[in-house]
């Protein structure tokens, strides 16, 4: 697998990362077995960057991943483990409590400790703030990052779903460079190409990590923004390109993301072994600028002027 340096860090990530949000499935014996196989397959296929969050399957994804690594002695040091914190589900800790964000010092420190325990690890290579807490205090977060770095629990820091102004605000208080902004980019959600997030990534050498990269191609996207007519037009273009490049539609989508000069790292979340192995074919396509724009136009439903 090709690799890429993440932001201004020394982390050398596989060009496509593997997301662990779905690895426990329904959390029964069968799906846990499938999830373990998915992680092992990803490692064997050359993925070295694994994305986690404290909330995935209420911590069960981190636990399962920790179990896989325990069964593969010596592998931890070869991997980049990214964690995320800051989202709190409703009814937590009390029934009736609202869903919310919490990027306070106390919460971040507690979340990292709990994640490391579940993962059975001493450190995270990268910690991302999962969502911008409306009440975040940049100075307090900068201080928290320093504590985590000083006690070697986290080596690098970044954000997720942050707007450009929020990245700038946080960066202005942090001594270390923010390494990544993990954002949704897929055929439905292209806002980062328009709202300046990807421009900022290029300018400040922050790596954009794309979540749900094949949403809307291989499975319904989180927020379905297209009409039936749009979907048919977009699907026809995917069909045309998949045939042209002798591949599958979702691989075209990955190639489309990889073409962007901000050096987007897609995070795939399939638990299907053959798809995990196939994803890297996107890196071998000589994907053209013309086809990039054909898909852009098909997606928008009007020509570029
Ligand atoms: N920062 C954030 O706010 C945020 C939010 C969401 C996710 N994430 C991260 O992003 C990662 C990836 O997200 P994701 O799992 O939604 O990524 P994804 O790769 O876009 O989607 C994976 C899903 O698509 C299905 N799929 C893929 N190719 C398919 C095909 N050809 N045909 C049918 N189904 C297909 C997979 O099913 P199979 O397993 O059957 O292949 C799986 O259910 C997550 O694991 C997580 O780490 C971050």
């Amino acid at each position: 697998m090709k690799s890429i340096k993440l932001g201004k860090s020394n982390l050398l990530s596989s060009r496509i990362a593997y997301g662990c949000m779905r690895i426990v499935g329904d959390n029964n014996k069968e799906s846990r077995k499938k999830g373990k196989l998915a992680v092992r397959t990803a490692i064997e296929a050359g993925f070295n960057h694994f994305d986690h969050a404290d909330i995935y399957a209420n911590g069960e994804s981190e636990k399962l991943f920790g179990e896989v690594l325990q069964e593969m002695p010596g592998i931890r040091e070869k991997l980049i483990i990214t964690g995320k914190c800051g989202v709190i589900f409703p009814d937590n800790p009390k029934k009736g409590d609202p869903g919310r964000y919490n990027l306070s010092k106390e919460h971040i420190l507690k979340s990292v400790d709990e994640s490391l325990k579940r993962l059975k690890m001493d450190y995270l290579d990268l910690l991302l703030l999962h969502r911008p807490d409306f009440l975040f205090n940049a100075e307090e977060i900068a201080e928290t990052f320093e504590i985590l770095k000083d006690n070697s629990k986290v080596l690098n820091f970044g954000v997720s779903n942050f707007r450009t102004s929020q990245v700038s605000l946080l960066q202005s208080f942090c001594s270390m460079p923010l390494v990544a902004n993990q954002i949704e980019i897929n055929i439905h959600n292209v806002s980062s190409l328009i709202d300046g997030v990807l421009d900022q990534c290029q300018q400040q050498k922050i790596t954009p990590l794309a979540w749900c990269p094949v949403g809307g191609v291989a499975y319904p996207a989180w927020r379905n923004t297209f009409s039936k007519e749009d979907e048919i037009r977009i699907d026809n273009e995917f069909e045309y390109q998949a045939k042209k490049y002798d591949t599958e539609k979702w691989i075209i989508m990955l190639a489309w993301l990889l073409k962007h000069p901000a050096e987007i790292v897609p995070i795939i979340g399939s638990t299907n072994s053959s798809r995990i192995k196939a994803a890297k074919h996107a890196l071998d396509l000589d994907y053209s600028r013309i086809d990039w724009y054909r898909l852009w136009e098909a997606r928008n439903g009007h020509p570029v002027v």
Side-chain angles (χ1 to χ4, degrees):
M1 173 94 72
K2 287 177 186 158
S3 53
I4 186 170
K5 269 235 181 122
L6 295 182
K8 292 180 183 160
S9 77
N10 290 322
L11 299 173
L12 198 59
S13 163
S14 45
R15 191 66 183 78
I16 304 177
Y18 185 81
C20 296
M21 182 177 73
R22 302 176 192 269
I23 60 172
V24 296
D26 297 335
N27 205 15
N28 59 37
K29 207 173 154 201
E30 254 337 277
S31 63
R32 288 175 71 88
K33 197 172 152 200
K34 186 177 174 198
K36 279 185 159 188
L37 177 65
V39 173
R40 277 195 298 269
T41 304
I43 293 172
E44 282 156 20
F47 290 83
N48 78 336
H49 182 181
F50 291 84
D51 184 70
H52 285 274
D54 51 3
I55 54 167
Y56 292 162
N58 286 313
E60 289 300 319
S61 297
E62 290 176 328
K63 267 194 208 162
L64 190 76
F65 189 87
E67 284 175 30
V68 178
L69 261 52
Q70 293 289 302
E71 293 159 11
M72 300 177 80
I75 195 77
R76 164 65 185 102
E77 303 308 315
K78 298 186 176 129
L79 303 180
I80 294 170
I81 307 299
T82 290
K84 295 194 288 299
C85 67
V87 176
I88 302 188
F89 288 140
D91 297 324
N92 209 330
K94 284 194 319 292
K95 189 150 180 53
D97 285 348
R100 61 203 184 276
Y101 307 133
N102 189 345
L103 295 179
S104 66
K105 177 175 164 184
E106 188 192 7
H107 181 76
I108 295 173
L109 294 178
K110 180 168 167 275
S111 166
V112 168
D113 280 342
E114 290 173 355
S115 285
L116 290 175
K117 204 165 156 197
R118 287 190 291 265
L119 287 160
K120 299 194 177 67
M121 287 175 194
D122 303 327
Y123 67 94
L124 294 173
D125 296 278
L126 178 59
L127 174 71
L128 306 179
L129 306 178
H130 206 154
R131 298 247 165 205
D133 175 3
F134 294 104
L135 304 178
F136 90 74
N137 178 320
E139 194 172 3
E140 183 182 340
I141 292 176
E143 195 189 305
T144 311
F145 284 178
E146 294 290 349
I147 294 170
L148 288 166
K149 191 149 176 98
D150 284 352
N151 59 24
S152 303
K153 289 185 181 173
V154 179
L155 308 187
N156 296 278
F157 302 86
V159 295
S160 177
N161 304 302
F162 269 45
R163 297 211 304 243
T164 52
S165 56
Q166 294 162 332
V167 171
S168 299
L169 169 62
L170 183 57
Q171 186 61 85
S172 72
F173 281 89
C174 289
S175 59
M176 63 285 276
L178 297 172
V179 165
N181 192 358
Q182 186 176 121
I183 46 184
E184 181 183 16
I185 322 178
N186 51 44
I187 199 66
H188 282 261
N189 189 344
V190 294
S191 59
S192 60
L193 279 90
I194 297 155
D195 62 15
V197 167
L198 289 180
D199 302 333
Q200 182 183 51
C201 284
Q202 276 200 75
Q203 187 189 30
Q204 298 191 16
K205 211 165 164 32
I206 293 170
T207 296
L209 304 166
W211 58 264
C212 296
V214 300
V217 184
Y219 68 101
W222 288 59
R223 282 177 289 276
N224 194 336
T225 51
F226 297 135
S227 66
K228 200 75 218 145
E229 189 189 323
D230 291 335
E231 279 178 1
I232 294 168
R233 184 185 61 249
I234 297 163
D235 193 57
N236 285 344
E237 184 57 30
F238 272 119
E239 285 278 359
Y240 161 80
Q241 295 198 15
K243 217 172 253 162
K244 175 177 170 184
Y245 288 94
D246 190 22
T247 188
E248 292 179 60
K249 294 185 263 187
W250 64 284
I251 298 281
I252 295 291
M253 187 62 214
L254 294 181
W256 192 86
L257 294 170
L258 291 163
K259 181 88 179 163
H260 196 280
E263 302 195 301
I264 297 166
V265 172
I267 313 171
I268 63 152
S270 175
T271 53
N272 173 306
S273 293
S274 53
R275 288 190 194 122
I276 294 168
K277 290 183 208 158
K280 63 181 170 196
H281 294 324
L283 298 166
D284 302 328
L285 298 191
D286 187 13
Y287 191 66
S288 76
R289 180 180 284 258
I290 286 182
D291 289 327
W292 195 96
Y293 272 100
R294 280 184 63 110
L295 197 50
W296 179 253
E297 283 196 345
R299 185 235 168 253
N300 294 334
H302 56 79
V304 168
V305 282

